[in-house]
Amino acid sequence: MRPLTEEETRALFEKLARYVGENLQLLVDRPDGAYCFRLHKDRVYYLSERILKLATNIPRENLVALGTCFGKFTKTQKFRLHITALDYLAPYAKYKVWVKPGAEQSFLYGNHILKSGLGRITESTAQYQGVVVYSMADVPLGFGVAAKSTQECRKVDPMAIVVFHQADIGEYIRHEETLT
Amino acid sequence: MGRKLDPAGKARRGPGRKARKQRGAEQELRRFLPPDPEDSPRKLSSHVRRRAAKRRIKSARLPAGKTTLALRESAAPGESLPKGAKKQAALQDGRLGGFSDISTWLTPSSAEKRPRPKESEQDAFSGSEELEGPRESDGEDGSDDGMVDDYGALSSGDEEELLPIEQAAQKQKEQDMSEEESEEEEEEEEPRKHDEAQETDLQLNVEAGERFLLPSGQEVEKEAAEPPDLQLIHQRIKDNIEVLQDFGTKREEGRSRQEYLTLLRQDLAAYYSYSDFLIGKVMELFSLSELVDFLESNEVSRPVTLRTNTLKTRRRDLAQALINRGVNLDPLGKWSKTGLVVYDSSVPIGATPEYLAGQYMLQGASSLLPVMALAPQENERILDMCCAPGGKTSYIAQLMKNTGLILANDSNEERLRSVVGNLHRLGVTNTVVSHCDGRQFPKVLGGFDRVLLDAPCSGTGVISKDPTIKANKDEKDILRCAHLQKELILSAIDSVNAASETGGYIVYCTCSVMVEENEWVVDYALKKRNVRLVPTGLDFGKEGFARFRERRFHPSLKSTRRFYPHTHNMDGFFVAKLKKFSNAIPKVPQDEEPTEEPGVPSAREESAPVAAAVPLSTGGKQEERLQGVKKQAAKRGFSALTAAKTELRGESKVKKQKKRVLVVQRGSFQAQSRLAKASWSSPGGRRTQAVSSRQRRAPQSCP
């Protein structure tokens, strides 16, 4: 377990900023105590300093997880967000997409969102903008990338993909062993 | 469709902004309404009026006692309402306070066969609303209240808020209901009497019939050759138990009770396919009447229960969401504010979007209990020693509202994957997950406020989940578990900080019903460390054993709790809560490390009176004897055999004399042990080692 290097921090923040924009600031400076990012076995964890102090006592090979896992660095030093970060992305997300109840299940199985399943979308979403996906009952389901801008979404045919799937909460069941 | 007018004027609490009803129109309207709706009677149709008159006449004829009884029952507003409403209503009646055994779901049979509500309940309500407005809306409130009591949200507050119009409506409703019920009861009375008479007749016939006879030697041989006839065995078990319960009159002449019991044991093992060892253990544990109930209930699975994750949602919202998905559920019981029982479901309950979003956790009812006993407070440091798969850990986090620290440990790294997954899914952020060996614990990290030890066990309480336990477990497995548990409980106690302001508690639990893995382990910890048992805070469940067959445990073991599948309809479970009152570890001489001695307390009984009697006897070899005594006193959990040896070495010459002394001094010894018992009852203070150890030994040896 160690703090992130300069490059790693940049990679992480760039990725996070795609979804939460300038709200990233709120994640780093929190009013309820100091929070920090730590790297452990290529995973990035977001945790409060109090937990950090406790975790330093545990031998590195015995430590499995701490706080919330945000994602991992690939072997090529790219950062990949995991679904476990959703709890922190969802409240701060700038661009959101709501899926209809019928399309919920399809998204939770790892499929892209089609125009026919699109319930609502934030106005002025640009193409390839990171978006957080919600159900119509405002339950966060995952996140992805807008395949079309809001303007284009209005015109395309119902079977066209509007949001590329990146992560969904179905992965808690499908990929439990690779989450951390 | 606009909003319906609700004269009660209560804003509904619900999910999301859209779903929430806003205050406004109702309040405005109430100002214009006439102030006293109490006096003006409702407008009734002619038919209803006629029926009411009839009812009044009938109820006048009834004896007063029956009416009050019916009144009590009638608090439940009709058959169409869910059970939750009934329970709530009963609570309002004020006759049920606190947790109790009588919660209806606890009985195994009822849980399986609860009919699904005919249609969506909402529809039913809205359909009849025009006819009897206040009454039905009241019923709906009741059902909601059943769900409302999350942590933090007060349901009692809601009841106090009842407007006068509501109270009046309620009164009216109760009266109506009581009249109806009494009517029905009267009709039923007659045939019931008739039935009872018939039944007693039948039973008399049976009694007059043939007696149950033990099978002869030939029969046994014949049966051994053939494949077992289950029907025959089942009948024989029934008859056998009947005889055993009234042995004096029903026995066959010349046959001992032991023979009957052996046959019963064989039959039970064959019928339920248990190993001979396990069935013997179970027979020791339960009385005959309970025995079959226990074995039967191990054949049926427990109801699926789930726990609301209050970090993300509330129980009422979750229940509503799941009902909309076609899940038939109910609140778990009065003792849990977050639990729900699932009767049946049209969707896989472990893969709904609500589950994936972390709004609930599938968790047995029994595994809520140790966490409730632990009662974690906010901002504490808590250790969960054997945490997989993370159900209890997340419940702890939920009770702490994600504050403080939790160290979730498990020795199995494979199983920790599910812990990490569950914790993230449920939004728990205050946890560190590690995979150390639990026995190393104070070395890794200590000074916790509370420790939960859900020890690995033989699993004899969860046979319904894993039937292989029936055949696989033998004496060795149980003792191996017990040994590991003793090591774990000591390290759990050592990692607690007794000086903690809010805590200093250890909760020990297992999903086993064996005494070796439960009371014995706790008793061992009581002897080894400065801890005492405190009430678990669970008001139901059976008391732990303070004595079991030849074993004598500390009397305070009564404050531990046992849960059985047949009585509580949850997995067999044991919960003990310990309070550590000093960080010092009582010293034990290194060379006399305790040895495992599972089944020789009877020998111990012999040696202990000797030890107590020795100082009283006179003779030249007093010094030697005193040494022997000291040695014995220092040794705890020692093998009786070695004890006897030292005894022999010390005073082989005065052996006979001593025996005589023993007999003479018995009286004084008993007085002494009584004294020791008195001091036992409050193990609060610290004593010097020699004294305390002797006192601890004494009551054990004196049954």
Side-chain angles (χ1 to χ4, degrees):
Chain A
M1 188 173 57
R2 62 169 172 81
L4 302 180
T5 63
E6 197 78 12
E7 282 167 39
E8 285 163 346
T9 313
R10 196 175 332 110
L12 168 69
F13 282 5
E14 270 174 17
K15 183 58 78 93
L16 284 176
R18 285 195 201 169
Y19 300 90
V20 298
E22 59 268 30
N23 288 343
L24 183 60
Q25 198 64 30
L26 299 172
L27 216 54
V28 184
D29 307 324
R30 284 172 57 144
D32 56 336
Y35 275 69
C36 60
F37 289 97
R38 281 291 180 278
L39 190 78
H40 176 65
K41 290 180 181 166
D42 277 343
R43 259 58 175 182
V44 175
Y45 293 96
Y46 177 68
L47 63 160
S48 89
E49 303 258 345
R50 285 189 66 200
I51 300 176
L52 183 67
K53 257 190 265 172
L54 177 95
T56 48
N57 292 314
I58 295 163
R60 192 167 46 176
E61 62 270 20
N62 287 347
L63 189 62
V64 177
L66 53 156
T68 308
C69 179
F70 261 48
K72 69 166 186 180
F73 278 102
T74 61
K75 302 276 188 237
T76 51
Q77 288 304 303
K78 292 194 180 73
F79 183 71
R80 184 156 295 167
L81 269 176
H82 279 172
I83 184 61
T84 47
L86 185 66
D87 274 350
Y88 286 101
L89 292 186
Y92 300 120
K94 296 202 74 179
Y95 295 95
K96 301 176 182 181
V97 167
W98 286 261
V99 295
K100 290 179 183 164
E104 231 172 66
Q105 203 68 14
S106 164
F107 180 72
L108 291 183
Y109 280 113
N111 299 317
H112 303 306
I113 299 174
L114 306 179
K115 168 77 191 312
S116 59
L118 184 70
R120 288 162 68 195
I121 185 166
T122 311
E123 204 61 39
S124 77
T125 307
Q127 200 176 17
Y128 307 134
Q129 165 71 45
V131 291
V132 173
V133 180
Y134 288 82
S135 74
M136 292 310 273
D138 272 341
V139 177
L141 297 177
F143 49 87
V145 169
K148 302 267 191 306
S149 68
T150 311
Q151 292 303 320
E152 285 169 323
C153 278
R154 299 203 171 111
K155 290 172 219 151
V156 293
D157 65 306
M159 293 315 286
I161 295 171
V162 289
V163 177
F164 294 123
H165 167 272
Q166 279 185 331
D168 65 86
I169 51 177
E171 286 174 28
Y172 282 122
I173 292 182
R174 296 204 306 272
H175 305 142
E176 191 177 63
E177 63 284 355
T178 54
L179 276 179
T180 54
Chain B
M1 255 178 70
R3 264 184 298 144
K4 285 227 180 79
L5 183 69
D6 181 10
K10 268 204 272 182
R12 284 267 210 98
R13 281 179 291 171
R17 267 169 296 157
K18 286 279 173 183
R20 192 173 300 153
K21 292 208 173 175
Q22 294 169 348
R23 280 173 190 278
E26 295 88 7
Q27 251 88 352
E28 290 288 323
L29 204 88
R30 207 180 307 142
R31 280 187 222 156
F32 303 107
L33 285 174
D36 52 348
E38 265 175 80
D39 301 336
S40 60
R42 273 188 299 156
K43 279 204 172 174
L44 301 170
S45 70
S46 62
H47 175 67
V48 172
R49 250 178 289 152
R50 235 179 295 141
R51 275 187 65 195
K54 215 168 160 191
R55 264 187 244 130
R56 228 167 288 135
I57 293 162
K58 275 205 173 171
S59 65
R61 263 188 274 151
L62 278 171
K66 199 177 274 180
T67 346
T68 52
L69 190 137
L71 219 166
R72 276 184 179 175
E73 282 175 358
S74 70
E79 295 84 339
S80 67
L81 280 177
K83 247 193 242 167
K86 274 188 190 174
K87 278 179 208 158
Q88 191 65 26
L91 195 77
Q92 281 173 356
D93 242 20
R95 73 191 156 117
L96 292 174
F99 311 145
S100 67
D101 263 344
I102 40 181
S103 174
T104 39
W105 83 276
L106 289 172
T107 55
S109 58
S110 69
E112 315 293 327
K113 304 142 194 160
R114 179 176 165 272
R116 291 177 61 105
K118 277 131 212 163
E119 288 158 52
S120 152
E121 278 154 12
Q122 241 80 33
D123 290 357
F125 286 140
S126 58
S128 55
E129 212 153 39
E130 290 86 52
L131 213 154
E132 346 180 57
R135 185 170 147 186
E136 282 302 309
S137 73
D138 225 13
E140 200 174 349
D141 277 350
S143 77
D144 279 350
D145 280 352
M147 301 290 189
V148 87
D149 43 6
D150 309 3
Y151 268 64
L154 294 172
S155 61
S156 57
D158 287 12
E159 284 158 28
E160 284 163 20
E161 278 173 9
L162 283 182
L163 296 167
I165 179 172
E166 283 179 308
Q167 286 167 355
Q170 210 166 3
K171 247 183 233 167
Q172 170 84 29
K173 183 184 66 194
E174 277 174 13
Q175 259 169 10
D176 285 359
M177 295 303 296
S178 74
E179 283 161 6
E180 264 175 17
E181 293 241 337
S182 55
E183 201 175 338
E184 285 167 7
E185 220 160 81
E186 204 179 37
E187 284 168 8
E188 275 173 25
E189 200 74 332
E190 275 303 304
R192 208 184 293 158
K193 265 182 201 164
H194 193 66
D195 276 353
E196 270 169 31
Q198 270 188 342
E199 226 162 84
T200 47
D201 263 4
L202 273 175
Q203 276 183 345
L204 282 175
N205 282 340
V206 167
E207 219 144 294
E210 60 188 303
R211 282 195 171 177
F212 169 64
L213 300 175
L214 282 174
S216 66
Q218 284 174 341
E219 278 173 327
V220 170
E221 272 174 33
K222 192 178 146 201
E223 203 178 308
E226 287 170 5
D229 177 7
L230 288 184
Q231 209 127 39
L232 181 95
I233 295 180
H234 184 64
Q235 189 56 41
R236 199 159 64 195
I237 291 171
K238 258 206 288 195
D239 296 340
N240 202 339
I241 285 178
E242 204 171 295
V243 173
L244 282 168
Q245 276 171 341
D246 190 9
F247 198 63
T249 55
K250 291 186 178 167
R251 66 185 290 191
E252 193 182 340
E253 282 305 316
R255 297 298 196 114
S256 70
R257 191 178 176 89
Q258 201 55 46
E259 282 175 87
Y260 279 90
L261 281 173
T262 321
L263 177 71
L264 180 66
R265 182 172 165 158
Q266 280 168 359
D267 283 348
L268 285 175
Y271 187 73
Y272 294 101
S273 59
Y274 279 72
S275 71
D276 191 49
F277 161 74
L278 195 59
I279 204 81
K281 280 283 177 196
V282 173
M283 282 176 78
E284 285 173 11
L285 208 56
F286 296 105
S287 67
L288 282 172
S289 50
E290 268 185 302
L291 181 61
V292 173
D293 286 345
F294 174 77
L295 295 173
E296 267 314 323
S297 63
N298 277 341
E299 302 299 307
V300 290
S301 56
R302 304 275 80 77
V304 178
T305 53
L306 49 92
R307 171 178 58 81
T308 318
N309 181 17
T310 50
L311 294 173
K312 292 209 167 180
T313 185
R314 288 177 301 178
R315 183 161 75 168
R316 183 166 56 154
D317 301 341
L318 175 68
Q320 196 54 56
L322 287 178
I323 286 169
N324 289 343
R325 290 203 186 276
V327 181
N328 184 8
L329 43 72
D330 236 2
L332 180 51
K334 270 188 256 334
W335 52 272
S336 170
K337 287 175 179 160
T338 52
L340 290 165
V341 195
V342 178
Y343 295 109
D344 58 285
S345 160
S346 52
V347 291
I349 200 77
T352 62
E354 282 77 21
Y355 177 81
L356 295 171
Q359 295 187 349
Y360 64 91
M361 174 91 191
L362 282 174
Q363 199 173 14
S366 56
S367 64
L368 302 179
L369 302 171
V371 181
M372 290 166 68
L374 188 70
Q377 309 294 312
E378 286 175 36
N379 293 313
E380 279 186 332
R381 278 160 62 103
I382 293 189
L383 169 64
D384 187 355
M385 262 187 149
C386 309
C387 65
K392 296 187 190 71
T393 315
S394 54
Y395 191 21
I396 295 174
Q398 168 182 329
L399 292 182
M400 291 165 72
K401 304 203 174 75
N402 249 338
T403 61
L405 303 166
I406 302 174
L407 179 55
N409 181 69
D410 202 287
S411 59
N412 186 342
E413 201 177 2
E414 287 298 305
R415 284 169 53 105
L416 278 177
R417 296 187 196 288
S418 64
V419 177
V420 173
N422 278 328
L423 291 179
H424 278 100
R425 184 171 60 80
L426 297 166
V428 175
T429 57
N430 61 348
T431 314
V432 177
V433 185
S434 70
H435 77 110
C436 306
D437 188 340
R439 289 171 288 188
Q440 298 169 341
F441 235 88
K443 275 185 217 155
V444 181
L445 204 53
F448 290 94
D449 294 315
R450 284 161 207 260
V451 175
L452 175 64
L453 174 57
D454 182 14
C457 64
S458 61
T460 45
V462 288
I463 293 175
S464 55
K465 271 189 199 160
D466 179 12
T468 57
I469 293 166
K470 287 184 198 172
N472 288 346
K473 300 291 172 190
D474 60 4
E475 180 88 44
K476 254 186 196 161
D477 291 313
I478 305 264
L479 291 179
R480 200 180 297 130
C481 278
H483 185 249
L484 178 64
Q485 283 156 356
K486 285 176 183 175
E487 287 178 306
L488 283 173
I489 199 173
L490 289 195
S491 53
I493 292 169
D494 289 343
S495 18
V496 169
N497 179 16
S500 156
E501 279 172 23
T502 52
Y505 292 100
I506 302 102
V507 167
Y508 173 82
C509 61
T510 63
C511 57
S512 169
V513 292
M514 296 289 132
V515 173
E516 284 86 351
E517 296 178 74
N518 298 330
E519 280 87 351
W520 196 34
V521 174
V522 174
D523 190 55
Y524 173 82
L526 287 176
K527 283 181 202 156
K528 282 289 199 178
R529 293 290 185 270
N530 288 324
V531 288
R532 64 164 169 265
L533 276 166
V534 290
T536 53
L538 306 167
D539 286 355
F540 61 111
K542 301 215 161 139
E543 288 178 353
F545 297 108
R547 43 183 295 177
F548 180 74
R549 296 176 78 82
E550 73 277 5
R551 295 211 178 89
R552 297 292 172 269
F553 301 121
H554 190 278
S556 68
L557 270 157
K558 275 209 164 24
S559 60
T560 61
R561 282 282 176 271
R562 287 177 154 261
F563 300 90
Y564 295 127
H566 58 287
T567 47
H568 303 100
N569 200 18
M570 49 176 84
D571 296 325
F573 221 74
F574 173 82
V575 181
K577 186 176 185 179
L578 299 151
K579 166 101 174 116
K580 189 173 179 182
F581 56 85
S582 162
N583 275 334
I585 297 173
K587 283 270 159 20
V588 181
Q590 268 308 305
D591 53 327
E592 298 185 50
E593 267 302 300
T595 51
E596 284 307 303
E597 35 100 43
V600 284
S602 53
R604 203 204 277 175
E605 269 172 279
E606 285 171 19
S607 63
V610 175
V614 164
L616 303 168
S617 70
T618 53
K621 304 226 166 189
Q622 205 159 9
E623 274 184 24
E624 264 183 36
R625 264 183 249 120
L626 262 173
Q627 260 182 353
V629 174
K630 265 187 193 165
K631 229 177 187 179
Q632 277 201 339
K635 241 197 271 182
R636 301 125 133 248
F638 65 116
S639 127
L641 230 150
T642 54
K645 267 182 197 165
T646 49
E647 210 46 60
L648 267 172
R649 243 186 285 132
E651 44 203 327
S652 54
K653 287 177 193 170
V654 282
K655 208 169 157 191
K656 281 181 188 171
Q657 186 195 346
K658 193 177 61 193
K659 261 189 186 166
R660 231 172 293 136
V661 170
L662 216 172
V663 176
V664 177
Q665 301 286 352
R666 220 349 79 114
S668 68
F669 163 68
Q670 275 171 354
Q672 200 182 350
S673 68
R674 229 175 288 135
L675 237 170
K677 248 184 200 166
S679 72
W680 242 126
S681 58
S682 60
R686 293 185 56 210
R687 309 173 211 96
T688 57
Q689 189 43 47
V691 173
S692 70
S693 64
R694 196 158 77 209
Q695 279 175 336
R696 285 175 188 204
R697 289 201 40 73
Q700 274 198 333
S701 58
C702 170

